[in-house]
Amino acid sequence: MLKHHFYTSESVTEGHPDKMCDQIADAILDAVLAEDPEGRVAIECLTKTGFVVVAGELTTNTYVDIQKVVRDTIRGIGYDDPEYGFDADGCGVLASISEQCPEIAQGVNATSDHEQGAGDQGLMFGYATNETEEYMPLPIILAHKLTKRLAEVRKNRTLSYLRPDGKSQVTVEYENGSALRVEAIVVAAQHDPGVSEEQVHKDIIEHVIMPICEKYIDENTKFHINATGKFVTGGPVADAGVTGRKIIVDTYGGHGSHGGGCFSGKDPSKVDRSGAYMARYIAKNVVAAGLCDQCEIQIAYSIGVAEPVSILVNCYGSAKILEEEISNIIRKHFPLKPLQIIKHLDLRRPIYQKTASYGHFGRNDPDFTWEKLDKVEELKKYLKE
């Protein structure tokens, strides 16, 4: 562990073009699961000025009005005015969707002589730390709270000139593993033309930054707000958006490791999503039980095979018992086969669109079952007296 260091994480608002694509993909997933909990979904999106492309695989016994879902999602985010250069009613929507190919389906479908296997090969990571009450690293928690606050003051008209696009970045200073203060805060906030840079700077500090970060700010904290000047043109007009391009924002802000896949647009038979949720659930309960101060879990799968091919526990030197023992405890107390994970975390529900902005982890929402601490008491008994 570094004795003295700085760590930076970022977040983006729901109006960021990449996050728009994540939310559209997950809104389509929710529309399927609401009527067909066994539906198979693997949807991705691309957006640029004037259009959205929806592509992927969809196997379901229900009908989804793709046009309506896409436009409703965009409108809910806040792109409802043609003046923005991109709006829900004026953009084109192109869909190219086929069914899940049978070669993949045969490895996932459960039969009398074959239990449900993983939807693909892959490796997933989960992470937790006792640094914050959310069991998340402080930089990413603050970054998410800032972007969420940006959306709040836009939607409640506190800062009526704000537009949907935006980003945040927080740098935290650490000493011997403990957070001391915030060194720097970066905020990019899209706004209407005609608003002065000075007004935006003042309002963002007063209404966004201070309510979230005041306890960590001192006289040396640096603020970079719309650092290049005005930020009028944003969203898909300024930058193309693609599903799955904000995987570090979705997870732990760069702490720990990341597997190969994103989450959004994938039903829970895809272990990219369900395996990563289970890994977070395990890591959080292990840390909350006091077996270590921080924990990273890796789980890996082969397509069509139910049992994981490997499990790795890394406690970064903070383990109170042997990491090998923690690994054995995990196998004993946590379900690790894909179907077991889906059932234990109750993942076949239309809950996913709200995961697609402000992070999949560290949020106090009863639908986020992977955040529950219901294994803590079972795990505490393994601590040596």
Side-chain angles (χ1 to χ4, degrees):
M1 179 186 296
L2 295 172
K3 288 187 175 181
H4 183 264
H5 69 283
F6 297 87
Y7 200 92
T8 303
S9 294
E10 70 163 350
S11 179
V12 299
T13 65
E14 60 207 62
H16 186 281
D18 291 332
K19 273 286 144 222
M20 287 177 57
C21 290
D22 288 342
Q23 290 166 90
I24 291 168
D26 273 338
I28 293 170
L29 170 60
D30 282 352
V32 172
L33 294 180
E35 300 293 334
D36 179 14
E38 299 297 324
R40 299 277 171 80
V41 183
I43 292 294
E44 300 188 34
C45 301
L46 163 70
T47 184
K48 186 53 183 146
T49 308
F51 72 89
V52 176
V53 177
V54 180
E57 294 77 50
L58 180 57
T59 303
T60 180
N61 58 23
T62 192
Y63 169 74
V64 176
D65 187 339
I66 298 294
Q67 291 268 343
K68 185 177 187 305
V69 172
V70 171
R71 296 184 193 282
D72 285 351
T73 304
I74 294 169
R75 189 177 298 105
I77 290 168
Y79 288 102
D80 54 5
D81 188 338
E83 186 180 339
Y84 298 165
F86 184 97
D87 71 286
D89 295 312
C91 68
V93 179
L94 173 66
S96 179
I97 299 172
S98 62
E99 289 192 337
Q100 184 180 52
C101 76
E103 287 83 359
I104 293 175
Q106 69 184 357
V108 183
N109 294 337
T111 65
S112 58
D113 57 357
H114 180 269
E115 63 180 322
Q116 179 174 325
D120 199 354
Q121 70 179 49
L123 52 138
M124 302 87 223
F125 290 91
Y127 178 82
T129 172
N130 59 13
E131 180 179 335
T132 64
E133 64 180 13
E134 296 91 353
Y135 293 92
M136 292 284 287
L138 182 61
I140 188 64
I141 284 293
L142 293 179
H144 282 321
K145 288 181 178 180
L146 287 173
T147 51
K148 193 170 185 179
R149 179 68 179 167
L150 267 179
E152 288 173 357
V153 298
R154 169 174 62 89
K155 292 178 178 180
N156 67 22
R157 311 295 288 173
T158 298
L159 301 180
S160 59
Y161 58 77
L162 289 183
R163 293 183 174 185
D165 200 356
K167 302 175 76 173
S168 71
Q169 184 173 285
V170 178
T171 300
V172 175
E173 182 178 5
Y174 287 86
E175 186 75 43
N176 295 322
S178 297
L180 297 179
R181 53 183 289 275
V182 166
E183 166 69 10
I185 295 174
V186 180
V187 173
Q190 187 190 14
H191 58 83
D192 292 341
V195 183
S196 70
E197 295 176 35
E198 293 78 10
Q199 185 68 47
V200 173
H201 189 279
K202 173 182 176 295
D203 286 346
I204 294 299
I205 290 177
E206 178 182 350
H207 295 286
V208 178
I209 293 175
M210 297 309 287
I212 301 300
C213 300
E214 184 172 13
K215 66 181 285 189
Y216 300 102
I217 290 172
D218 61 22
E219 66 276 9
N220 296 315
T221 300
K222 304 174 185 67
F223 302 105
H224 303 284
I225 299 166
N226 288 358
T228 60
K230 292 186 176 181
F231 181 11
V232 174
T233 304
V237 179
D239 188 13
V242 181
T243 300
R245 260 201 321 210
K246 289 292 178 283
I247 57 176
I248 300 304
V249 172
D250 286 340
T251 53
Y252 308 102
H255 280 272
S257 305
H258 199 289
C262 73
F263 305 149
S264 291
K266 298 176 181 176
D267 76 84
S269 72
K270 280 69 171 174
V271 286
D272 276 341
R273 181 167 223 155
S274 54
Y277 286 1
M278 176 53 70
R280 161 63 177 176
Y281 175 62
I282 294 169
K284 185 176 180 181
N285 276 270
V286 166
V287 172
L291 302 185
C292 56
D293 295 329
Q294 57 177 322
C295 182
E296 178 183 272
I297 306 292
Q298 186 203 57
I299 311 174
Y301 292 91
S302 169
I303 187 170
V305 179
E307 288 282 357
V309 299
S310 69
I311 300 172
L312 176 67
V313 177
N314 180 6
C315 298
Y316 300 91
S318 71
K320 307 303 189 293
I321 61 177
L322 293 175
E323 289 176 343
E324 293 85 349
E325 187 177 350
I326 295 176
S327 181
N328 292 332
I329 292 168
I330 289 168
R331 289 183 178 274
K332 180 178 179 180
H333 289 276
F334 292 91
L336 296 169
K337 295 179 180 180
L339 186 57
Q340 292 175 337
I341 293 172
I342 290 169
K343 290 181 176 178
H344 187 81
L345 297 180
D346 194 14
L347 296 179
R348 294 199 179 279
R349 296 172 293 136
I351 59 170
Y352 294 104
Q353 184 180 346
K354 60 184 174 181
T355 71
S357 49
Y358 313 119
H360 293 245
F361 308 121
R363 293 166 63 179
N364 183 23
D365 186 314
D367 285 333
F368 289 46
T369 52
W370 49 93
E371 293 295 315
K372 293 190 299 184
L373 292 173
D374 54 353
K375 294 286 188 178
V376 170
E377 295 306 315
E378 293 178 36
L379 302 182
K380 280 183 177 179
K381 67 184 182 182
Y382 292 97
L383 287 170
K384 299 287 192 295
E385 294 294 337

